[in-house]
PDB file of all heavy atoms in Angstrom:
ATOM      1  N   TYR A1437     104.871  94.849 109.792  1.00 81.00           N
ATOM      2  CA  TYR A1437     105.669  95.833 109.067  1.00 81.00           C
ATOM      3  C   TYR A1437     105.206  96.041 107.631  1.00 81.00           C
ATOM      4  O   TYR A1437     105.658  96.961 106.968  1.00 81.00           O
ATOM      5  CB  TYR A1437     107.147  95.450 109.112  1.00 81.00           C
ATOM      6  CG  TYR A1437     107.691  95.581 110.508  1.00 81.00           C
ATOM      7  CD1 TYR A1437     108.044  94.473 111.243  1.00 81.00           C
ATOM      8  CD2 TYR A1437     107.797  96.833 111.105  1.00 81.00           C
ATOM      9  CE1 TYR A1437     108.508  94.604 112.545  1.00 81.00           C
ATOM     10  CE2 TYR A1437     108.251  96.982 112.395  1.00 81.00           C
ATOM     11  CZ  TYR A1437     108.610  95.856 113.114  1.00 81.00           C
ATOM     12  OH  TYR A1437     109.055  95.997 114.392  1.00 81.00           O
ATOM     13  N   SER A1438     104.303  95.206 107.141  1.00 84.00           N
ATOM     14  CA  SER A1438     103.717  95.454 105.824  1.00 84.00           C
ATOM     15  C   SER A1438     102.407  96.227 105.942  1.00 84.00           C
ATOM     16  O   SER A1438     101.841  96.659 104.941  1.00 84.00           O
ATOM     17  CB  SER A1438     103.473  94.126 105.093  1.00 84.00           C
ATOM     18  OG  SER A1438     102.529  93.325 105.792  1.00 84.00           O
ATOM     19  N   MET A1439     101.930  96.412 107.174  1.00 84.00           N
ATOM     20  CA  MET A1439     100.636  97.048 107.375  1.00 84.00           C
ATOM     21  C   MET A1439     100.599  98.486 106.871  1.00 84.00           C
ATOM     22  O   MET A1439      99.596  98.935 106.321  1.00 84.00           O
ATOM     23  CB  MET A1439     100.270  97.012 108.860  1.00 84.00           C
ATOM     24  CG  MET A1439      99.866  95.639 109.371  1.00 84.00           C
ATOM     25  SD  MET A1439      98.266  95.109 108.734  1.00 84.00           S
ATOM     26  CE  MET A1439      97.152  96.111 109.720  1.00 84.00           C
ATOM     27  N   GLY A1440     101.690  99.242 107.074  1.00 86.00           N
ATOM     28  CA  GLY A1440     101.691 100.644 106.668  1.00 86.00           C
ATOM     29  C   GLY A1440     101.415 100.822 105.192  1.00 86.00           C
ATOM     30  O   GLY A1440     100.509 101.570 104.801  1.00 86.00           O
ATOM     31  N   LEU A1441     102.185 100.121 104.355  1.00 86.00           N
ATOM     32  CA  LEU A1441     101.993 100.244 102.911  1.00 86.00           C
ATOM     33  C   LEU A1441     100.670  99.624 102.470  1.00 86.00           C
ATOM     34  O   LEU A1441     100.022 100.119 101.544  1.00 86.00           O
ATOM     35  CB  LEU A1441     103.160  99.578 102.176  1.00 86.00           C
ATOM     36  CG  LEU A1441     104.505 100.301 102.282  1.00 86.00           C
ATOM     37  CD1 LEU A1441     105.571  99.551 101.498  1.00 86.00           C
ATOM     38  CD2 LEU A1441     104.407 101.739 101.776  1.00 86.00           C
ATOM     39  N   ALA A1442     100.255  98.533 103.130  1.00 85.00           N
ATOM     40  CA  ALA A1442      98.982  97.895 102.765  1.00 85.00           C
ATOM     41  C   ALA A1442      97.811  98.846 103.017  1.00 85.00           C
ATOM     42  O   ALA A1442      96.914  98.980 102.177  1.00 85.00           O
ATOM     43  CB  ALA A1442      98.806  96.600 103.557  1.00 85.00           C
ATOM     44  N   LEU A1443      97.818  99.520 104.161  1.00 84.00           N
ATOM     45  CA  LEU A1443      96.741 100.460 104.476  1.00 84.00           C
ATOM     46  C   LEU A1443      96.773 101.668 103.548  1.00 84.00           C
ATOM     47  O   LEU A1443      95.721 102.192 103.160  1.00 84.00           O
ATOM     48  CB  LEU A1443      96.839 100.905 105.934  1.00 84.00           C
ATOM     49  CG  LEU A1443      96.524  99.834 106.972  1.00 84.00           C
ATOM     50  CD1 LEU A1443      96.744 100.364 108.377  1.00 84.00           C
ATOM     51  CD2 LEU A1443      95.093  99.334 106.817  1.00 84.00           C
ATOM     52  N   GLN A1444      97.983 102.116 103.181  1.00 84.00           N
ATOM     53  CA  GLN A1444      98.081 103.209 102.210  1.00 84.00           C
ATOM     54  C   GLN A1444      97.473 102.800 100.877  1.00 84.00           C
ATOM     55  O   GLN A1444      96.735 103.570 100.246  1.00 84.00           O
ATOM     56  CB  GLN A1444      99.547 103.596 101.993  1.00 84.00           C
ATOM     57  CG  GLN A1444     100.174 104.395 103.108  1.00 84.00           C
ATOM     58  CD  GLN A1444     101.507 104.979 102.690  1.00 84.00           C
ATOM     59  OE1 GLN A1444     101.599 105.627 101.647  1.00 84.00           O
ATOM     60  NE2 GLN A1444     102.529 104.750 103.482  1.00 84.00           N
ATOM     61  N   ALA A1445      97.777 101.577 100.434  1.00 84.00           N
ATOM     62  CA  ALA A1445      97.259 101.095  99.149  1.00 84.00           C
ATOM     63  C   ALA A1445      95.740 100.995  99.179  1.00 84.00           C
ATOM     64  O   ALA A1445      95.052 101.381  98.225  1.00 84.00           O
ATOM     65  CB  ALA A1445      97.876  99.740  98.815  1.00 84.00           C
ATOM     66  N   LEU A1446      95.195 100.492 100.273  1.00 79.00           N
ATOM     67  CA  LEU A1446      93.744 100.365 100.388  1.00 79.00           C
ATOM     68  C   LEU A1446      93.073 101.736 100.432  1.00 79.00           C
ATOM     69  O   LEU A1446      91.996 101.929  99.872  1.00 79.00           O
ATOM     70  CB  LEU A1446      93.392  99.554 101.634  1.00 79.00           C
ATOM     71  CG  LEU A1446      93.714  98.061 101.534  1.00 79.00           C
ATOM     72  CD1 LEU A1446      93.658  97.403 102.902  1.00 79.00           C
ATOM     73  CD2 LEU A1446      92.750  97.371 100.575  1.00 79.00           C
ATOM     74  N   GLU A1447      93.710 102.694 101.100  1.00 76.00           N
ATOM     75  CA  GLU A1447      93.163 104.046 101.150  1.00 76.00           C
ATOM     76  C   GLU A1447      93.178 104.695  99.773  1.00 76.00           C
ATOM     77  O   GLU A1447      92.213 105.358  99.366  1.00 76.00           O
ATOM     78  CB  GLU A1447      93.974 104.889 102.140  1.00 76.00           C
ATOM     79  CG  GLU A1447      93.574 106.359 102.197  1.00 76.00           C
ATOM     80  CD  GLU A1447      92.169 106.572 102.711  1.00 76.00           C
ATOM     81  OE1 GLU A1447      91.683 105.718 103.492  1.00 76.00           O
ATOM     82  OE2 GLU A1447      91.549 107.589 102.353  1.00 76.00           O
ATOM     83  N   ALA A1448      94.275 104.493  99.016  1.00 76.00           N
ATOM     84  CA  ALA A1448      94.414 105.127  97.702  1.00 76.00           C
ATOM     85  C   ALA A1448      93.475 104.519  96.674  1.00 76.00           C
ATOM     86  O   ALA A1448      93.149 105.166  95.682  1.00 76.00           O
ATOM     87  CB  ALA A1448      95.858 105.017  97.228  1.00 76.00           C
ATOM     88  N   THR A1449      93.033 103.280  96.894  1.00 78.00           N
ATOM     89  CA  THR A1449      92.209 102.591  95.886  1.00 78.00           C
ATOM     90  C   THR A1449      90.813 102.282  96.400  1.00 78.00           C
ATOM     91  O   THR A1449      90.126 101.429  95.843  1.00 78.00           O
ATOM     92  CB  THR A1449      92.905 101.280  95.451  1.00 78.00           C
ATOM     93  OG1 THR A1449      93.084 100.427  96.596  1.00 78.00           O
ATOM     94  CG2 THR A1449      94.259 101.558  94.829  1.00 78.00           C
ATOM     95  N   ARG A1450      90.379 102.976  97.461  1.00 71.00           N
ATOM     96  CA  ARG A1450      89.116 102.615  98.102  1.00 71.00           C
ATOM     97  C   ARG A1450      87.922 102.688  97.159  1.00 71.00           C
ATOM     98  O   ARG A1450      86.944 101.960  97.325  1.00 71.00           O
ATOM     99  CB  ARG A1450      88.865 103.474  99.338  1.00 71.00           C
ATOM    100  CG  ARG A1450      88.657 104.939  99.086  1.00 71.00           C
ATOM    101  CD  ARG A1450      88.100 105.648 100.342  1.00 71.00           C
ATOM    102  NE  ARG A1450      88.861 105.431 101.555  1.00 71.00           N
ATOM    103  CZ  ARG A1450      88.400 104.705 102.567  1.00 71.00           C
ATOM    104  NH1 ARG A1450      87.213 104.130 102.491  1.00 71.00           N
ATOM    105  NH2 ARG A1450      89.117 104.562 103.651  1.00 71.00           N
ATOM    106  N   LYS A1451      87.984 103.527  96.125  1.00 72.00           N
ATOM    107  CA  LYS A1451      86.823 103.647  95.230  1.00 72.00           C
ATOM    108  C   LYS A1451      86.701 102.452  94.294  1.00 72.00           C
ATOM    109  O   LYS A1451      85.697 102.308  93.606  1.00 72.00           O
ATOM    110  CB  LYS A1451      86.906 104.936  94.420  1.00 72.00           C
ATOM    111  CG  LYS A1451      88.066 104.994  93.435  1.00 72.00           C
ATOM    112  CD  LYS A1451      88.052 106.319  92.685  1.00 72.00           C
ATOM    113  CE  LYS A1451      89.188 106.409  91.666  1.00 72.00           C
ATOM    114  NZ  LYS A1451      89.176 107.698  90.945  1.00 72.00           N
ATOM    115  N   PHE A1452      87.706 101.588  94.263  1.00 74.00           N
ATOM    116  CA  PHE A1452      87.681 100.460  93.346  1.00 74.00           C
ATOM    117  C   PHE A1452      87.227  99.157  94.010  1.00 74.00           C
ATOM    118  O   PHE A1452      87.172  98.126  93.366  1.00 74.00           O
ATOM    119  CB  PHE A1452      89.062 100.240  92.727  1.00 74.00           C
ATOM    120  CG  PHE A1452      89.548 101.407  91.913  1.00 74.00           C
ATOM    121  CD1 PHE A1452      90.612 102.181  92.347  1.00 74.00           C
ATOM    122  CD2 PHE A1452      88.918 101.749  90.723  1.00 74.00           C
ATOM    123  CE1 PHE A1452      91.047 103.268  91.609  1.00 74.00           C
ATOM    124  CE2 PHE A1452      89.348 102.838  89.980  1.00 74.00           C
ATOM    125  CZ  PHE A1452      90.423 103.599  90.423  1.00 74.00           C
ATOM    126  N   TYR A1453      86.940  99.171  95.303  1.00 67.00           N
ATOM    127  CA  TYR A1453      86.523  97.937  95.949  1.00 67.00           C
ATOM    128  C   TYR A1453      85.408  98.244  96.942  1.00 67.00           C
ATOM    129  O   TYR A1453      85.204  99.380  97.368  1.00 67.00           O
ATOM    130  CB  TYR A1453      87.693  97.253  96.664  1.00 67.00           C
ATOM    131  CG  TYR A1453      88.298  98.070  97.782  1.00 67.00           C
ATOM    132  CD1 TYR A1453      87.773  98.017  99.073  1.00 67.00           C
ATOM    133  CD2 TYR A1453      89.393  98.898  97.550  1.00 67.00           C
ATOM    134  CE1 TYR A1453      88.312  98.776 100.088  1.00 67.00           C
ATOM    135  CE2 TYR A1453      89.934  99.665  98.569  1.00 67.00           C
ATOM    136  CZ  TYR A1453      89.390  99.604  99.835  1.00 67.00           C
ATOM    137  OH  TYR A1453      89.932 100.359 100.835  1.00 67.00           O
ATOM    138  N   ASP A1454      84.687  97.205  97.314  1.00 66.00           N
ATOM    139  CA  ASP A1454      83.622  97.326  98.305  1.00 66.00           C
ATOM    140  C   ASP A1454      84.270  97.358  99.681  1.00 66.00           C
ATOM    141  O   ASP A1454      85.010  96.454 100.051  1.00 66.00           O
ATOM    142  CB  ASP A1454      82.687  96.116  98.183  1.00 66.00           C
ATOM    143  CG  ASP A1454      81.450  96.249  99.070  1.00 66.00           C
ATOM    144  OD1 ASP A1454      81.533  96.990 100.068  1.00 66.00           O
ATOM    145  OD2 ASP A1454      80.436  95.613  98.768  1.00 66.00           O
ATOM    146  N   SER A1455      83.994  98.411 100.431  1.00 59.00           N
ATOM    147  CA  SER A1455      84.639  98.565 101.743  1.00 59.00           C
ATOM    148  C   SER A1455      84.332  97.409 102.677  1.00 59.00           C
ATOM    149  O   SER A1455      85.038  97.191 103.658  1.00 59.00           O
ATOM    150  CB  SER A1455      84.198  99.879 102.382  1.00 59.00           C
ATOM    151  OG  SER A1455      82.792  99.890 102.563  1.00 59.00           O
ATOM    152  N   ARG A1456      83.294  96.654 102.388  1.00 60.00           N
ATOM    153  CA  ARG A1456      82.970  95.529 103.246  1.00 60.00           C
ATOM    154  C   ARG A1456      83.889  94.340 103.014  1.00 60.00           C
ATOM    155  O   ARG A1456      83.837  93.363 103.741  1.00 60.00           O
ATOM    156  CB  ARG A1456      81.512  95.097 102.982  1.00 60.00           C
ATOM    157  CG  ARG A1456      80.480  96.118 103.458  1.00 60.00           C
ATOM    158  CD  ARG A1456      79.090  95.718 103.014  1.00 60.00           C
ATOM    159  NE  ARG A1456      78.991  95.719 101.552  1.00 60.00           N
ATOM    160  CZ  ARG A1456      77.900  95.361 100.879  1.00 60.00           C
ATOM    161  NH1 ARG A1456      76.833  94.969 101.535  1.00 60.00           N
ATOM    162  NH2 ARG A1456      77.886  95.389  99.562  1.00 60.00           N
ATOM    163  N   GLU A1457      84.744  94.418 102.004  1.00 59.00           N
ATOM    164  CA  GLU A1457      85.637  93.303 101.710  1.00 59.00           C
ATOM    165  C   GLU A1457      86.780  93.194 102.714  1.00 59.00           C
ATOM    166  O   GLU A1457      87.455  92.190 102.787  1.00 59.00           O
ATOM    167  CB  GLU A1457      86.207  93.448 100.289  1.00 59.00           C
ATOM    168  CG  GLU A1457      85.151  93.292  99.198  1.00 59.00           C
ATOM    169  CD  GLU A1457      85.745  93.483  97.815  1.00 59.00           C
ATOM    170  OE1 GLU A1457      86.973  93.634  97.714  1.00 59.00           O
ATOM    171  OE2 GLU A1457      84.969  93.472  96.846  1.00 59.00           O
ATOM    172  N   TRP A1458      87.008  94.240 103.481  1.00 63.00           N
ATOM    173  CA  TRP A1458      88.021  94.156 104.539  1.00 63.00           C
ATOM    174  C   TRP A1458      87.577  95.003 105.710  1.00 63.00           C
ATOM    175  O   TRP A1458      86.832  95.976 105.551  1.00 63.00           O
ATOM    176  CB  TRP A1458      89.398  94.570 104.023  1.00 63.00           C
ATOM    177  CG  TRP A1458      89.549  96.032 103.714  1.00 63.00           C
ATOM    178  CD1 TRP A1458      88.963  96.719 102.696  1.00 63.00           C
ATOM    179  CD2 TRP A1458      90.313  96.994 104.452  1.00 63.00           C
ATOM    180  NE1 TRP A1458      89.332  98.038 102.732  1.00 63.00           N
ATOM    181  CE2 TRP A1458      90.165  98.240 103.789  1.00 63.00           C
ATOM    182  CE3 TRP A1458      91.139  96.930 105.571  1.00 63.00           C
ATOM    183  CZ2 TRP A1458      90.780  99.401 104.235  1.00 63.00           C
ATOM    184  CZ3 TRP A1458      91.758  98.085 106.024  1.00 63.00           C
ATOM    185  CH2 TRP A1458      91.572  99.296 105.353  1.00 63.00           C
ATOM    186  N   ASP A1459      88.002  94.644 106.899  1.00 66.00           N
ATOM    187  CA  ASP A1459      87.580  95.328 108.116  1.00 66.00           C
ATOM    188  C   ASP A1459      88.579  96.439 108.421  1.00 66.00           C
ATOM    189  O   ASP A1459      89.625  96.213 109.029  1.00 66.00           O
ATOM    190  CB  ASP A1459      87.528  94.323 109.276  1.00 66.00           C
ATOM    191  CG  ASP A1459      86.872  94.927 110.518  1.00 66.00           C
ATOM    192  OD1 ASP A1459      86.875  96.162 110.648  1.00 66.00           O
ATOM    193  OD2 ASP A1459      86.367  94.165 111.343  1.00 66.00           O
ATOM    194  N   CYS A1460      88.247  97.656 107.985  1.00 73.00           N
ATOM    195  CA  CYS A1460      89.142  98.798 108.145  1.00 73.00           C
ATOM    196  C   CYS A1460      89.443  99.066 109.617  1.00 73.00           C
ATOM    197  O   CYS A1460      90.591  99.266 110.010  1.00 73.00           O
ATOM    198  CB  CYS A1460      88.509 100.030 107.505  1.00 73.00           C
ATOM    199  SG  CYS A1460      89.454 101.549 107.690  1.00 73.00           S
ATOM    200  N   ALA A1461      88.400  99.078 110.451  1.00 76.00           N
ATOM    201  CA  ALA A1461      88.588  99.384 111.865  1.00 76.00           C
ATOM    202  C   ALA A1461      89.498  98.364 112.531  1.00 76.00           C
ATOM    203  O   ALA A1461      90.353  98.706 113.350  1.00 76.00           O
ATOM    204  CB  ALA A1461      87.234  99.433 112.573  1.00 76.00           C
ATOM    205  N   GLN A1462      89.322  97.101 112.188  1.00 79.00           N
ATOM    206  CA  GLN A1462      90.144  96.052 112.789  1.00 79.00           C
ATOM    207  C   GLN A1462      91.608  96.194 112.378  1.00 79.00           C
ATOM    208  O   GLN A1462      92.514  96.042 113.196  1.00 79.00           O
ATOM    209  CB  GLN A1462      89.614  94.673 112.391  1.00 79.00           C
ATOM    210  CG  GLN A1462      90.214  93.529 113.192  1.00 79.00           C
ATOM    211  CD  GLN A1462      89.603  92.197 112.819  1.00 79.00           C
ATOM    212  OE1 GLN A1462      89.426  91.894 111.642  1.00 79.00           O
ATOM    213  NE2 GLN A1462      89.280  91.396 113.815  1.00 79.00           N
ATOM    214  N   ALA A1463      91.825  96.526 111.099  1.00 81.00           N
ATOM    215  CA  ALA A1463      93.193  96.684 110.610  1.00 81.00           C
ATOM    216  C   ALA A1463      93.887  97.865 111.295  1.00 81.00           C
ATOM    217  O   ALA A1463      95.050  97.776 111.691  1.00 81.00           O
ATOM    218  CB  ALA A1463      93.188  96.884 109.093  1.00 81.00           C
ATOM    219  N   PHE A1464      93.168  98.978 111.449  1.00 81.00           N
ATOM    220  CA  PHE A1464      93.755 100.140 112.118  1.00 81.00           C
ATOM    221  C   PHE A1464      94.019  99.852 113.594  1.00 81.00           C
ATOM    222  O   PHE A1464      94.980 100.364 114.166  1.00 81.00           O
ATOM    223  CB  PHE A1464      92.860 101.367 111.962  1.00 81.00           C
ATOM    224  CG  PHE A1464      93.113 102.144 110.704  1.00 81.00           C
ATOM    225  CD1 PHE A1464      92.264 102.037 109.613  1.00 81.00           C
ATOM    226  CD2 PHE A1464      94.218 102.972 110.605  1.00 81.00           C
ATOM    227  CE1 PHE A1464      92.510 102.744 108.450  1.00 81.00           C
ATOM    228  CE2 PHE A1464      94.467 103.686 109.443  1.00 81.00           C
ATOM    229  CZ  PHE A1464      93.611 103.569 108.357  1.00 81.00           C
ATOM    230  N   SER A1465      93.177  99.044 114.211  1.00 83.00           N
ATOM    231  CA  SER A1465      93.384  98.699 115.611  1.00 83.00           C
ATOM    232  C   SER A1465      94.672  97.914 115.793  1.00 83.00           C
ATOM    233  O   SER A1465      95.390  98.098 116.783  1.00 83.00           O
ATOM    234  CB  SER A1465      92.193  97.882 116.133  1.00 83.00           C
ATOM    235  OG  SER A1465      91.014  98.651 116.147  1.00 83.00           O
TER     236      SER A1465
END
């Protein structure tokens, strides 16, 4: 139930971190 806001936060700040620091596909799955 925290995944929705966590994914929104990561999407909104994606330019500030290396995308390899988290597995986007795995999280969406």
Side-chain angles (χ1 to χ4, degrees):
Y1437 292 111
S1438 63
M1439 287 290 285
L1441 290 181
L1443 291 176
Q1444 285 192 52
L1446 288 166
E1447 175 65 27
T1449 60
R1450 65 167 53 250
K1451 66 180 181 180
F1452 298 111
Y1453 62 86
D1454 187 336
S1455 60
R1456 291 173 296 177
E1457 293 178 5
W1458 70 291
D1459 189 336
C1460 177
Q1462 192 177 45
F1464 273 102
S1465 295

